Amino acid sequence: MPLDQTPYYDYDDDGKEEEVGKEMSFLDHLEELRWHLIRAAVAIVFFMIFAFIYIEEIYETVILGPSKVDFWTYRMMCKLGTAVGAPGLCVDKLQFSLMSREVSGQFIMAFTSAAIIGLVFAFPYVFWEIWRFVKPGLKPSESKSARGAVFYVTFLFFSGVAFGYFIVSPLAINFLVNFQISKSIENQFDIGSYISLLATLTLACGVAFQLPVAIFVLTKIGVIGPQFMRTYRKHAVVVILIVSAVITPSPDVTSQLLVAFPLYILYEISIVISAREEKRRLAELAAEGGEIKD
């Protein structure tokens, strides 16, 4: 961001140029960033406290949901298996039990779970605060092309979280808890291990679903383009299948395809976004008489 004190401009919803303030010094930027981070932290703590108050209900209905055979995903899998003639998709048992092996284990897990839930639900506001700090440093054309960033990032994040919670996590849990080397070995897992697996898979999908946003940014700065993505589409498919196999360790091909298909759709959407942004970027460079990078 520029550090001089000259006025800078933005565009309103009608595309009209308007002065939105004066640019700040480096220390002013640090002070502004501090307040953005403080407000973001307050939002996280607010949702965290709310989640901690209702932690018992949240555990029974949400966190422990994928550990029960009547979970929505398992019921839908059974219906799908009946429809396509694959009864193996039905989940009729989950052979494991959860334990807390430390005196403070349940309290720590309650606190940790509340913190994760607080972060997830405060994400739109946290990103909005970060965006408010970053946006004044963008050029007018960049600000206009990035309009709606908060909505799209939030939508993709929650779509990824939902995908991770309802699809990836149940598939992984079903396979891992039912896998046995010997019937004489009982699966008794610490609650911390279960929470870690659920949170990791869910949040990882939330981040993975930001692929279109990442491609938009990389295209904007000229690092990647649609032609590159089209050329290496086959390689991308292989990578997606490998990622799907890692996320869902079940040998069932249907489970892997359930994960791979949305990721491939995101890749194709990213190509469209990259093509549109590259066309806009090249038009701007041509208008400015700048050098066009391949």
Side-chain angles (χ1 to χ4, degrees), residues 11-42:
Y11 287 83
D12 58 19
D13 294 336
D14 297 326
K16 297 180 180 179
E17 189 179 68
E18 59 178 2
E19 183 178 345
V20 296
K22 292 183 178 297
E23 294 177 357
M24 301 176 291
S25 66
F26 178 73
L27 293 180
D28 289 334
H29 275 295
L30 290 180
E31 178 66 14
E32 185 70 16
L33 176 61
R34 184 172 74 92
W35 281 106
H36 283 296
L37 295 178
I38 288 175
R39 287 191 290 267
V42 170

Side-chain angles (χ1 to χ4, degrees), residues 234-247:
K234 295 181 180 179
H235 300 77
V237 171
V238 174
V239 172
I240 288 174
L241 290 175
I242 293 175
V243 171
S244 301
V246 172
I247 293 178

Side-chain angles (χ1 to χ4, degrees), residues 46-56 58 110 113-115 117-118:
F46 172 80
F47 284 103
M48 177 181 172
I49 294 174
F50 184 83
F52 192 83
I53 293 174
Y54 296 96
I55 195 65
E56 184 177 347
I58 292 174
S113 301
I117 294 171

Side-chain angles (χ1 to χ4, degrees), residues 58-120:
I58 292 174
Y59 255 82
E60 286 295 327
T61 59
V62 179
I63 297 178
L64 296 180
S67 68
K68 303 174 182 178
V69 293
D70 61 347
F71 187 57
W72 180 85
T73 303
Y74 300 139
R75 289 187 279 111
M76 293 301 104
M77 288 174 57
C78 193
K79 290 183 179 180
L80 176 62
T82 302
V84 300
L89 289 177
C90 288
V91 178
D92 53 6
K93 60 180 179 179
L94 292 171
Q95 299 180 356
F96 78 108
S97 60
L98 294 174
M99 304 179 66
S100 178
R101 302 178 186 275
E102 299 179 5
V103 175
S104 59
Q106 293 200 44
F107 175 78
I108 293 176
M109 283 302 101
F111 185 84
T112 303
S113 301
I116 295 173
I117 294 171
L119 176 62
V120 170

